[in-house]
Amino acid sequence: MNGTEPNSLVSAVLMFNWVEYSVFCSMLLLSLLIGVYYGWCKRQDTVAEYMLGGKNMSVFPVTLSLVASYVSGVTLIGFPAEVYTYGTQFYAIIFTDLAMYFIVNYLYLPVFYNLQMNSLYEYLELRFNKFTRTLASLIFAISLIIFLPVVIYVPALAFNQVAGVSVHVISPVVTLICIFYTSFGGLKAVVWTDALQSLFILGSTIFVVILGLKKVGSISEVIRINEEGGRLELFNMNPSPFERNTFWTIAFGSIFIWIPQLAVHPSAMQRFIAVSSFKKAKAVMFWSVIGFLTIYGLVLIIGLLLYATYHDCDPVASGVVEKTGQLVPYYVMEVAHDYPGLTGLFISGVLSAALSSISSGLNTVAGTMYEDFVVYVLKGEKLSETRQNLVTKILVLVLGLLYILGVFVIERLGAIFQMVQSLVGATNGSLSGLFTLGIFFPQANATGAIAGTLTSLVVMSMVVFGAQVYSVRGLLRYPGKMTSVTNCSPDLIKSLPFNATSRCDTYTGIGSPVIADPSVPLIFQLSYLYYCLLGMVIVLVVGLAVSYISGPTDARHLDPQLFSPPVRHFLPKKGIKSIPENEEYKLVKTSDMATNNNTDGKRNSIL
């Protein structure tokens, strides 16, 4: 807490008036009504309909849902703050997005869409064994318990900045609303609320960009100021993996962050399989990439506008805000001061992004835990559809409460972007490595898969935890680019109980180095964007080595459809059935499966 915070909160409360609250509450009310509609008016009687929306959803809402699920408040608030502090190098992620279109559509998606599995982790049981599936499901559940509190915390912090409401008050409110429409409405409610919320996200960011450009004067002036401040940077080709941000750490390293997010993530595959043909699934991925690029472009401009506005009076150094995560809400309050409702619209957009990510995570992890844990514990005991739905909804509630508790831990950590990637790096690398081992390496066996996954999980947990410890102790620092307080109000500077100049970042060179004390081992200096890559490599190296030592799998005994299309050319020909891209799948209820044990019947059913 600093001496300026009370005044800041008073002015925030005065600005966030009834108009702002009306806009904000309208979004929450619409989300709740969608949940009510699909929970009571359009009841979904089976777990299959609840989890996959009847498997006949349109490309448009599913695309909006996928984009909204991965464009969280971390993107809307963390990305501009990243540009303000470290420059535009992070925008090299556009090359990652383009690469992911081909990686997902031609390497991973053909496998999972073709198999039409109950749970994504069922693939691991088919490819390896039951224990491998259970292990992966557990890691996935843990990763979401770690990640989603960040998604809740970011909009709560933004709301605190503009309305003065405590983070510990708004976090439970947001999560409980999300629990309500997710548990009652199922995937259809999640998808359509995501579609609605994506409009809030897009509309709010466009308005902020327009008003910001109007305030500065022109885009050329924005570029000039950012160039003088060393913010414009995209092709820093330094190959060192120990630099925080370079072209290679972003464009190449982020590929291995996105593989577990899009290529082997239950939430993403849930949406791909929710459309009725493989051609439509590929279309979802194509339009999602367009959506990602659009949002990234808008938030990049907001980051440039932040620096153009505050380049000579840094709000963090001057104590106007406490954390970089509050920069964007503070900026919106300034530019939207004369436009009633716009601040409420932007905060609604940030909150919408969070709600979509939380609801997707809750819906997916609840379904995964039901399939991979509850069903296993029951050991063949059949539950009615009503009781299955009830169990799934209870899981959503319990998980939501865990996410609320996680906020109390997250708020004590550092920069948003780096914090997120570091936390998920420990688990996501292991999961993507495990699926990649199964899909691309026929020789890998269950023993190797388990050994590689556990080794990766242990090593990456030590790396992430060690880096965080050294960072907290001040032995590992990530200095931002130069900021200044030279044009701040003299009265503001004099009123502060500290030397504002000493809080300014002063790095003027290219890139964003990692400054480490000589006592810090080199492994902890590794760029956080390489955590997932390192985790995947460990799984592949250890998994293949142990597989060969314990006896590699005989490819003649494997179903070629368990492998990526390029790998199938090297397998014994066993009459692989290719799916026509336009062939539509129809949902078969669980009760119908009891009398239909053929392969096609299994493929056409979900849950």
Side-chain angles (χ1 to χ4, degrees), residues 369-387:
M369 292 183 71
Y370 177 83
E371 275 293 310
D372 298 335
F373 293 102
V374 176
V375 172
Y376 177 74
V377 170
L378 294 177
K379 294 182 178 179
E381 180 182 342
K382 291 186 178 296
L383 295 179
S384 66
E385 290 288 353
T386 302
R387 294 193 66 185

PDB file of all heavy atoms in Angstrom, residues 369-387:
ATOM      1  N   MET A 369     -12.422 -35.198 -15.285  1.00  0.00           N
ATOM      2  CA  MET A 369     -12.339 -35.874 -13.989  1.00  0.00           C
ATOM      3  C   MET A 369     -13.448 -36.903 -13.839  1.00  0.00           C
ATOM      4  O   MET A 369     -13.247 -37.965 -13.239  1.00  0.00           O
ATOM      5  CB  MET A 369     -12.397 -34.841 -12.859  1.00  0.00           C
ATOM      6  CG  MET A 369     -11.172 -33.942 -12.787  1.00  0.00           C
ATOM      7  SD  MET A 369     -11.226 -32.790 -11.402  1.00  0.00           S
ATOM      8  CE  MET A 369     -10.970 -33.907 -10.027  1.00  0.00           C
ATOM      9  N   TYR A 370     -14.630 -36.601 -14.389  1.00  0.00           N
ATOM     10  CA  TYR A 370     -15.718 -37.578 -14.313  1.00  0.00           C
ATOM     11  C   TYR A 370     -15.343 -38.846 -15.077  1.00  0.00           C
ATOM     12  O   TYR A 370     -15.485 -39.963 -14.566  1.00  0.00           O
ATOM     13  CB  TYR A 370     -17.016 -36.991 -14.878  1.00  0.00           C
ATOM     14  CG  TYR A 370     -18.146 -37.993 -14.881  1.00  0.00           C
ATOM     15  CD1 TYR A 370     -18.907 -38.210 -13.742  1.00  0.00           C
ATOM     16  CD2 TYR A 370     -18.427 -38.765 -16.014  1.00  0.00           C
ATOM     17  CE1 TYR A 370     -19.927 -39.149 -13.726  1.00  0.00           C
ATOM     18  CE2 TYR A 370     -19.435 -39.703 -16.011  1.00  0.00           C
ATOM     19  CZ  TYR A 370     -20.185 -39.890 -14.861  1.00  0.00           C
ATOM     20  OH  TYR A 370     -21.177 -40.839 -14.850  1.00  0.00           O
ATOM     21  N   GLU A 371     -14.873 -38.669 -16.315  1.00  0.00           N
ATOM     22  CA  GLU A 371     -14.543 -39.809 -17.161  1.00  0.00           C
ATOM     23  C   GLU A 371     -13.360 -40.605 -16.628  1.00  0.00           C
ATOM     24  O   GLU A 371     -13.366 -41.835 -16.640  1.00  0.00           O
ATOM     25  CB  GLU A 371     -14.220 -39.320 -18.583  1.00  0.00           C
ATOM     26  CG  GLU A 371     -15.429 -39.148 -19.466  1.00  0.00           C
ATOM     27  CD  GLU A 371     -16.085 -40.478 -19.779  1.00  0.00           C
ATOM     28  OE1 GLU A 371     -15.390 -41.423 -20.195  1.00  0.00           O
ATOM     29  OE2 GLU A 371     -17.301 -40.579 -19.593  1.00  0.00           O
ATOM     30  N   ASP A 372     -12.325 -39.898 -16.160  1.00  0.00           N
ATOM     31  CA  ASP A 372     -11.064 -40.568 -15.835  1.00  0.00           C
ATOM     32  C   ASP A 372     -10.899 -40.922 -14.366  1.00  0.00           C
ATOM     33  O   ASP A 372      -9.992 -41.684 -14.020  1.00  0.00           O
ATOM     34  CB  ASP A 372      -9.896 -39.686 -16.289  1.00  0.00           C
ATOM     35  CG  ASP A 372      -9.898 -39.469 -17.800  1.00  0.00           C
ATOM     36  OD1 ASP A 372     -10.452 -40.323 -18.498  1.00  0.00           O
ATOM     37  OD2 ASP A 372      -9.361 -38.456 -18.255  1.00  0.00           O
ATOM     38  N   PHE A 373     -11.756 -40.363 -13.499  1.00  0.00           N
ATOM     39  CA  PHE A 373     -11.626 -40.680 -12.078  1.00  0.00           C
ATOM     40  C   PHE A 373     -12.917 -41.253 -11.493  1.00  0.00           C
ATOM     41  O   PHE A 373     -12.917 -42.320 -10.886  1.00  0.00           O
ATOM     42  CB  PHE A 373     -11.190 -39.442 -11.285  1.00  0.00           C
ATOM     43  CG  PHE A 373      -9.807 -38.973 -11.613  1.00  0.00           C
ATOM     44  CD1 PHE A 373      -9.610 -37.883 -12.431  1.00  0.00           C
ATOM     45  CD2 PHE A 373      -8.695 -39.650 -11.136  1.00  0.00           C
ATOM     46  CE1 PHE A 373      -8.339 -37.456 -12.754  1.00  0.00           C
ATOM     47  CE2 PHE A 373      -7.420 -39.235 -11.451  1.00  0.00           C
ATOM     48  CZ  PHE A 373      -7.235 -38.132 -12.267  1.00  0.00           C
ATOM     49  N   VAL A 374     -14.032 -40.523 -11.668  1.00  0.00           N
ATOM     50  CA  VAL A 374     -15.296 -40.974 -11.072  1.00  0.00           C
ATOM     51  C   VAL A 374     -15.713 -42.319 -11.651  1.00  0.00           C
ATOM     52  O   VAL A 374     -16.052 -43.253 -10.907  1.00  0.00           O
ATOM     53  CB  VAL A 374     -16.399 -39.921 -11.283  1.00  0.00           C
ATOM     54  CG1 VAL A 374     -17.735 -40.448 -10.752  1.00  0.00           C
ATOM     55  CG2 VAL A 374     -16.032 -38.615 -10.603  1.00  0.00           C
ATOM     56  N   VAL A 375     -15.706 -42.420 -12.975  1.00  0.00           N
ATOM     57  CA  VAL A 375     -16.096 -43.680 -13.614  1.00  0.00           C
ATOM     58  C   VAL A 375     -15.174 -44.804 -13.187  1.00  0.00           C
ATOM     59  O   VAL A 375     -15.607 -45.946 -12.943  1.00  0.00           O
ATOM     60  CB  VAL A 375     -16.080 -43.524 -15.157  1.00  0.00           C
ATOM     61  CG1 VAL A 375     -16.298 -44.872 -15.834  1.00  0.00           C
ATOM     62  CG2 VAL A 375     -17.152 -42.536 -15.600  1.00  0.00           C
ATOM     63  N   TYR A 376     -13.879 -44.496 -13.036  1.00  0.00           N
ATOM     64  CA  TYR A 376     -12.906 -45.518 -12.619  1.00  0.00           C
ATOM     65  C   TYR A 376     -13.160 -45.970 -11.180  1.00  0.00           C
ATOM     66  O   TYR A 376     -13.105 -47.162 -10.862  1.00  0.00           O
ATOM     67  CB  TYR A 376     -11.489 -44.961 -12.746  1.00  0.00           C
ATOM     68  CG  TYR A 376     -10.420 -45.911 -12.270  1.00  0.00           C
ATOM     69  CD1 TYR A 376     -10.069 -47.026 -13.038  1.00  0.00           C
ATOM     70  CD2 TYR A 376      -9.754 -45.703 -11.070  1.00  0.00           C
ATOM     71  CE1 TYR A 376      -9.089 -47.908 -12.605  1.00  0.00           C
ATOM     72  CE2 TYR A 376      -8.778 -46.571 -10.629  1.00  0.00           C
ATOM     73  CZ  TYR A 376      -8.442 -47.680 -11.405  1.00  0.00           C
ATOM     74  OH  TYR A 376      -7.473 -48.541 -10.977  1.00  0.00           O
ATOM     75  N   VAL A 377     -13.484 -45.008 -10.301  1.00  0.00           N
ATOM     76  CA  VAL A 377     -13.749 -45.346  -8.898  1.00  0.00           C
ATOM     77  C   VAL A 377     -15.012 -46.192  -8.777  1.00  0.00           C
ATOM     78  O   VAL A 377     -15.079 -47.134  -7.981  1.00  0.00           O
ATOM     79  CB  VAL A 377     -13.876 -44.054  -8.057  1.00  0.00           C
ATOM     80  CG1 VAL A 377     -14.398 -44.376  -6.653  1.00  0.00           C
ATOM     81  CG2 VAL A 377     -12.536 -43.342  -7.969  1.00  0.00           C
ATOM     82  N   LEU A 378     -16.023 -45.877  -9.591  1.00  0.00           N
ATOM     83  CA  LEU A 378     -17.270 -46.638  -9.536  1.00  0.00           C
ATOM     84  C   LEU A 378     -17.110 -48.061 -10.064  1.00  0.00           C
ATOM     85  O   LEU A 378     -17.898 -48.951  -9.741  1.00  0.00           O
ATOM     86  CB  LEU A 378     -18.352 -45.914 -10.339  1.00  0.00           C
ATOM     87  CG  LEU A 378     -18.796 -44.565  -9.773  1.00  0.00           C
ATOM     88  CD1 LEU A 378     -19.812 -43.909 -10.701  1.00  0.00           C
ATOM     89  CD2 LEU A 378     -19.386 -44.722  -8.383  1.00  0.00           C
ATOM     90  N   LYS A 379     -16.085 -48.271 -10.908  1.00  0.00           N
ATOM     91  CA  LYS A 379     -15.727 -49.600 -11.419  1.00  0.00           C
ATOM     92  C   LYS A 379     -16.933 -50.355 -11.988  1.00  0.00           C
ATOM     93  O   LYS A 379     -17.306 -51.436 -11.531  1.00  0.00           O
ATOM     94  CB  LYS A 379     -15.065 -50.425 -10.313  1.00  0.00           C
ATOM     95  CG  LYS A 379     -13.710 -49.861  -9.879  1.00  0.00           C
ATOM     96  CD  LYS A 379     -13.059 -50.710  -8.815  1.00  0.00           C
ATOM     97  CE  LYS A 379     -11.701 -50.132  -8.444  1.00  0.00           C
ATOM     98  NZ  LYS A 379     -11.026 -50.919  -7.389  1.00  0.00           N
ATOM     99  N   GLY A 380     -17.526 -49.742 -12.993  1.00  0.00           N
ATOM    100  CA  GLY A 380     -18.597 -50.441 -13.712  1.00  0.00           C
ATOM    101  C   GLY A 380     -19.984 -50.174 -13.190  1.00  0.00           C
ATOM    102  O   GLY A 380     -20.972 -50.535 -13.842  1.00  0.00           O
ATOM    103  N   GLU A 381     -20.112 -49.563 -12.024  1.00  0.00           N
ATOM    104  CA  GLU A 381     -21.454 -49.260 -11.504  1.00  0.00           C
ATOM    105  C   GLU A 381     -22.112 -48.205 -12.388  1.00  0.00           C
ATOM    106  O   GLU A 381     -21.536 -47.149 -12.654  1.00  0.00           O
ATOM    107  CB  GLU A 381     -21.348 -48.730 -10.075  1.00  0.00           C
ATOM    108  CG  GLU A 381     -22.706 -48.384  -9.475  1.00  0.00           C
ATOM    109  CD  GLU A 381     -22.574 -47.816  -8.074  1.00  0.00           C
ATOM    110  OE1 GLU A 381     -21.501 -48.010  -7.462  1.00  0.00           O
ATOM    111  OE2 GLU A 381     -23.536 -47.180  -7.607  1.00  0.00           O
ATOM    112  N   LYS A 382     -23.297 -48.472 -12.850  1.00  0.00           N
ATOM    113  CA  LYS A 382     -23.971 -47.573 -13.783  1.00  0.00           C
ATOM    114  C   LYS A 382     -24.787 -46.530 -13.016  1.00  0.00           C
ATOM    115  O   LYS A 382     -25.552 -46.864 -12.120  1.00  0.00           O
ATOM    116  CB  LYS A 382     -24.883 -48.371 -14.724  1.00  0.00           C
ATOM    117  CG  LYS A 382     -24.122 -49.239 -15.710  1.00  0.00           C
ATOM    118  CD  LYS A 382     -25.072 -49.886 -16.705  1.00  0.00           C
ATOM    119  CE  LYS A 382     -24.306 -50.723 -17.719  1.00  0.00           C
ATOM    120  NZ  LYS A 382     -23.415 -49.911 -18.550  1.00  0.00           N
ATOM    121  N   LEU A 383     -24.590 -45.277 -13.396  1.00  0.00           N
ATOM    122  CA  LEU A 383     -25.382 -44.192 -12.836  1.00  0.00           C
ATOM    123  C   LEU A 383     -26.411 -43.748 -13.870  1.00  0.00           C
ATOM    124  O   LEU A 383     -26.162 -43.799 -15.073  1.00  0.00           O
ATOM    125  CB  LEU A 383     -24.489 -42.997 -12.476  1.00  0.00           C
ATOM    126  CG  LEU A 383     -23.453 -43.184 -11.357  1.00  0.00           C
ATOM    127  CD1 LEU A 383     -22.667 -41.900 -11.170  1.00  0.00           C
ATOM    128  CD2 LEU A 383     -24.121 -43.580 -10.056  1.00  0.00           C
ATOM    129  N   SER A 384     -27.550 -43.295 -13.383  1.00  0.00           N
ATOM    130  CA  SER A 384     -28.537 -42.735 -14.304  1.00  0.00           C
ATOM    131  C   SER A 384     -27.986 -41.441 -14.889  1.00  0.00           C
ATOM    132  O   SER A 384     -27.068 -40.826 -14.340  1.00  0.00           O
ATOM    133  CB  SER A 384     -29.845 -42.457 -13.558  1.00  0.00           C
ATOM    134  OG  SER A 384     -29.645 -41.426 -12.595  1.00  0.00           O
ATOM    135  N   GLU A 385     -28.558 -41.015 -16.022  1.00  0.00           N
ATOM    136  CA  GLU A 385     -28.109 -39.771 -16.646  1.00  0.00           C
ATOM    137  C   GLU A 385     -28.268 -38.596 -15.681  1.00  0.00           C
ATOM    138  O   GLU A 385     -27.434 -37.695 -15.634  1.00  0.00           O
ATOM    139  CB  GLU A 385     -28.907 -39.512 -17.931  1.00  0.00           C
ATOM    140  CG  GLU A 385     -28.599 -40.473 -19.068  1.00  0.00           C
ATOM    141  CD  GLU A 385     -27.227 -40.208 -19.679  1.00  0.00           C
ATOM    142  OE1 GLU A 385     -26.594 -39.197 -19.300  1.00  0.00           O
ATOM    143  OE2 GLU A 385     -26.791 -41.003 -20.519  1.00  0.00           O
ATOM    144  N   THR A 386     -29.339 -38.613 -14.894  1.00  0.00           N
ATOM    145  CA  THR A 386     -29.577 -37.535 -13.933  1.00  0.00           C
ATOM    146  C   THR A 386     -28.470 -37.467 -12.897  1.00  0.00           C
ATOM    147  O   THR A 386     -27.948 -36.383 -12.572  1.00  0.00           O
ATOM    148  CB  THR A 386     -30.933 -37.729 -13.230  1.00  0.00           C
ATOM    149  OG1 THR A 386     -31.965 -37.772 -14.212  1.00  0.00           O
ATOM    150  CG2 THR A 386     -31.203 -36.594 -12.248  1.00  0.00           C
ATOM    151  N   ARG A 387     -28.069 -38.632 -12.371  1.00  0.00           N
ATOM    152  CA  ARG A 387     -27.010 -38.654 -11.362  1.00  0.00           C
ATOM    153  C   ARG A 387     -25.658 -38.313 -11.973  1.00  0.00           C
ATOM    154  O   ARG A 387     -24.822 -37.681 -11.327  1.00  0.00           O
ATOM    155  CB  ARG A 387     -26.961 -40.035 -10.694  1.00  0.00           C
ATOM    156  CG  ARG A 387     -28.203 -40.361  -9.863  1.00  0.00           C
ATOM    157  CD  ARG A 387     -27.976 -41.573  -8.988  1.00  0.00           C
ATOM    158  NE  ARG A 387     -26.964 -41.318  -7.977  1.00  0.00           N
ATOM    159  CZ  ARG A 387     -26.493 -42.251  -7.138  1.00  0.00           C
ATOM    160  NH1 ARG A 387     -26.944 -43.495  -7.219  1.00  0.00           N
ATOM    161  NH2 ARG A 387     -25.591 -41.950  -6.246  1.00  0.00           N
TER     162      ARG A 387
END
